[in-house]
Amino acid sequence: MAIKFYNTLSKSKEVFKPIENKKVRMYTCGPTVYDYIHIGNLRAYVFSDILRRYLEYSGYNVKKIVNITDVGHLTHEEIESGIDKMEKAAKREDKDVWDIAEFYINAFKKDCEEMNIKEPYKLPRATEHIKEMIKLVEKLIEKKYAYISNGSVYFDVHKFKDYGKLSGNTIEKLEAGRGGRVKHNPDKKSQLDFALWIKNENHIMKWESPWSVGYPGWHLECSAMSMKYLGETIDIHTGGEDNIFPHHESEIAQSEAANGKKFVNCWMHVRHLLIEGEKMSKSLDNFYTLQDLIDKGHSPKTIRYLFLNAHYRKPMNFTMESLGAAKKTLDSLIEFMEKLDEVDGKKNPIVKELIENVKMEFRKAMDDDLNTPIALSAIHNFISKINKLIDEKNMCKRDAKKIKKTMQEFDNVLGVLKIDKINVPKEVKKLLKQRRISRKNKDFKESDEIREKIKKLGWEVQDTEKGQKIIKRI
Ligand code: AMP
Ligand code: ZN
């Protein structure tokens, strides 16, 4: 069976065929590093990780680039005021902008690591690619797709015939929809033109260019870095749905105008993570960071598992209840893996058949535009059948080993089964030790009292065949 992905450009599911046999070049729009990312952003990054992992599972070699926007991601108002998000953060934290970038790049890397997102081939920083961006602007000026005005450079959208092909916009519709909301910029020929280079000698991050001292436009960064590391045409470009317009539309315009070639074969966009029906975002102040949820006792793997419960092309409403339910189901998966170690019964040829079936169903679901909820339901079905065989002692150790291997193969894609390391506080560890001794001495009254003390500290102790197990209470 062939892998099919939904392409925002053609608005249909297409058979995936990379430019080069077995090699995939993919680009994911990364964070603007002025603050901690939120779990909405993480939905976008987990999606692109699942995509990469599934391609690897299917035998492809994936070269994945995730950029770091450390300059230039500005709203129109921010360009007007000359103060960008990085500068605001520097003021807020009384730090240098470069330190702000460094700090939040590290925070981003740590969040990705906790969420079990595989490291990309490279995480290029926009500020380290100014030369490439200037070259690209020069090419666009030379080809008359861009013009210099008052030291800034703008892309002339009227010159690019296909402007709107990704988002379904047309220049006419965009002009009609502009209204009076956005301030008029007299330097632009059309108000729809977007900035490639912004003149601003007072900007906190600025560079010399043939046109002025200033800084690059946000869209330009991604085109320049994608071309540098992946070539003029790439296989897949991903981002959240809010990236479609104007960011990705403008990336297409610049790149295709400069190279005269298709920029991206398959555009994949993840729908938003919502909270009470609204997009989770910094500007609406309705977000959770990963650390917020860890502090509430949730594990990053649970959040990852929660994301997998919904198809990436459906909006997902985040609630604490849904996170709690995800935890329960994920716990049952982990318990199942542990239970496999204790299997001791007679060999059963049915197991092989069940394994083949679940592998086929997993592949079928994932081949169909990465349908993770269907893939998960196939796995749960499989588990309930195997659980029945275990309970009936109708399966041997070797069967169990094969099942474990299959589950681990699935987890190479899903990335949820390896249990997160939990940092148990010293105080709780001490109580656990005392409780172990009291249980050994069969002093169950004392052992129960210690259990209560542990509970008051926010932890729960469970007695298993292998001894005490400690979990954070939610
Ligand atoms: P930003 O730093 O705002 O450019 O966002 C980084 C990535 O996260 C982009 O691909 C966005 O489209 C994506 N993103 C932002 N908010 C959400 C959300 N609530 N749900 C899903 N993806 C999001
Ligand atoms: Zn981008």
Side-chain angles (χ1 to χ4, degrees), residues 371-436:
N371 203 324
T372 50
I374 294 193
L376 286 179
S377 105
I379 293 174
H380 285 295
N381 251 332
F382 169 72
I383 290 179
S384 71
K385 285 179 192 153
I386 297 292
N387 264 332
K388 196 159 170 274
L389 297 182
I390 297 177
D391 295 343
E392 293 166 358
K393 295 209 175 299
N394 208 349
M395 213 177 87
C396 71
K397 272 196 188 320
R398 273 190 69 182
D399 291 330
K401 238 181 164 172
K402 282 184 201 146
I403 294 165
K404 204 159 192 182
K405 188 167 164 268
T406 306
M407 291 292 288
Q408 275 153 354
E409 280 167 16
F410 293 154
D411 200 48
N412 286 340
V413 181
L414 306 172
V416 290
L417 285 183
K418 282 195 199 93
I419 304 162
D420 294 315
K421 264 192 269 151
I422 45 170
N423 289 324
V424 183
K426 265 193 193 146
E427 212 178 343
V428 176
K429 277 190 190 155
K430 214 167 130 192
L431 286 167
L432 279 173
K433 195 171 165 196
Q434 284 171 13
R435 188 168 178 273
R436 200 179 316 123

Side-chain angles (χ1 to χ4, degrees), residues 27-30 67 69 218-223 225 237-239 243 247-248 251 267:
Y27 187 96
T28 294
C29 286
N67 73 290
T69 299
W218 170 40
H219 316 311
L220 185 71
E221 304 179 357
C222 286
S223 290
M225 291 188 272
H237 192 125
T238 80
N243 282 160
H247 187 47
H248 290 164
E251 280 187 40
W267 286 92

Side-chain angles (χ1 to χ4, degrees), residues 68-99:
I68 300 283
T69 299
D70 51 357
V71 64
H73 186 176
L74 301 148
T75 61
H76 185 82
E77 291 73 21
E78 284 165 335
I79 294 183
E80 294 290 315
S81 71
I83 299 177
D84 78 4
K85 293 186 170 82
M86 297 296 293
E87 189 170 354
K88 264 192 215 154
K91 290 213 168 96
R92 178 185 72 214
E93 297 182 23
D94 195 19
K95 279 187 192 161
D96 183 36
V97 264
W98 300 98
D99 292 338

Side-chain angles (χ1 to χ4, degrees), residues 422-438 447 449-462 468-473:
I422 45 170
N423 289 324
V424 183
K426 265 193 193 146
E427 212 178 343
V428 176
K429 277 190 190 155
K430 214 167 130 192
L431 286 167
L432 279 173
K433 195 171 165 196
Q434 284 171 13
R435 188 168 178 273
R436 200 179 316 123
I437 296 167
S438 46
S447 132
E449 282 165 8
I450 300 174
R451 178 201 290 278
E452 282 310 305
K453 281 188 194 163
I454 292 176
K455 207 167 168 180
K456 281 197 183 115
L457 292 170
W459 294 79
E460 189 175 309
V461 58
Q462 292 175 350
Q468 300 183 106
K469 187 173 157 190
I470 187 82
I471 52 171
K472 182 104 174 76
R473 282 163 60 82

Side-chain angles (χ1 to χ4, degrees), residues 31-32 38 40-41 44-45 73 239-240 242-243 271-273 279-280:
T32 310
H38 55 68
N41 303 127
Y45 302 134
H73 186 176
D242 56 334
N243 282 160
R271 299 293 300 270
H272 284 148
L273 185 70
K279 177 191 171 191
M280 184 178 284

